[in-house]
Amino acid sequence: MDKLARDDEELLIARSKRGDVNAFNQLILHYQPIMFSAIFRLLGDYDTAADITQDAFLAAFRGVQTYRGGSSFRAWLLRIGTNLVYDHWRRIQRRPAESLELLTEEDEPHSSESLSALITTGIEDNPEESLLSQELQGLIQQALEQLPFDQRTAIVLCDIQGLSYEEVAAATQATLGTVRSRISRGRTRLRQYLYQYRELLPRDYRLTKSSQEPPPLEGGVER
């Protein structure tokens, strides 16, 4: 957000704390795509993600008085969303069909967030590329769903939603060191998984088994 937008956000939050539903609805309009995208990437189910997104905003409105501004409002909202996802996850006791836990636990240094650049749009005019992109998005989602939930959450918030390590720590109520470890290990597992399907990746992202990150591609995050 630019400075004016941040000022607007602070005003809308203040009005929301006074019970102004219209003000909070404006916040929803801005943050709904972000919230839905994060929840969908965590669950992989459109309808469930839509329901939990709605529940998250209801919970946020009821609890907006507790927001003190110590972290970004986006991180605060995503903490509510990820908590609801975690509650849902525990209820259904979902387990990945193919665990990535057996892959290397080796840590890697913080590097460029290449995953967000792979989740792109804007090629719908080319049917062949669009088909390949859909296949790649499905592959990335499949890989995410096989990560341990805490690593998946950290990867989605950092590498797809673009939160800083500090914001991820605030959203997940974890220490900064824990967040760094989850992201590092999650990236390693994702890279190992995607290596099996490297022919689907853009040329600059055809990963090797080394820990080197490819250069970032231009592109936005898919909803």
Side-chain angles (χ1 to χ4, degrees), residues 15-35:
R15 288 170 53 192
S16 297
K17 288 183 175 182
R18 296 194 295 268
D20 188 332
V21 176
N22 290 331
F24 195 77
N25 281 339
Q26 292 183 57
L27 292 170
I28 291 177
L29 287 175
H30 179 78
Y31 283 108
Q32 189 172 35
I34 296 171
M35 180 78 84

Side-chain angles (χ1 to χ4, degrees), residues 34 37-38 41-42 74-75 78 82 108-117 119 144 150-172 176 178-184 186-187 190 221:
I34 296 171
S37 174
R41 286 292 175 181
L42 290 173
R74 176 178 62 166
L78 288 173
T82 53
E108 62 175 347
H110 176 61
S111 53
S112 60
E113 293 81 0
S114 60
L115 183 59
S116 62
I119 303 174
L144 285 170
D150 57 356
Q151 293 179 16
R152 185 191 321 169
T153 301
I155 287 290
V156 167
L157 294 180
C158 181
D159 287 352
I160 296 180
Q161 293 302 323
L163 268 63
S164 67
Y165 282 179
E166 291 77 12
E167 288 178 315
V168 175
T172 59
L176 191 58
T178 296
V179 167
R180 288 182 181 275
S181 177
R182 289 172 178 174
I183 291 173
S184 174
R187 285 175 177 168
L190 285 173
V221 175

Side-chain angles (χ1 to χ4, degrees), residues 82-126:
T82 53
N83 283 343
L84 289 177
V85 171
Y86 182 64
D87 289 343
H88 173 78
W89 185 265
R90 287 190 302 177
R91 284 197 301 271
I92 65 173
Q93 297 183 333
R94 179 181 294 177
R95 291 294 183 270
E98 176 187 353
S99 176
L100 301 185
E101 283 293 335
L102 298 180
L103 296 177
T104 178
E105 292 285 335
E106 180 180 346
D107 285 345
E108 62 175 347
H110 176 61
S111 53
S112 60
E113 293 81 0
S114 60
L115 183 59
S116 62
L118 291 176
I119 303 174
T120 59
T121 58
I123 59 173
E124 292 81 1
D125 292 338
N126 186 319

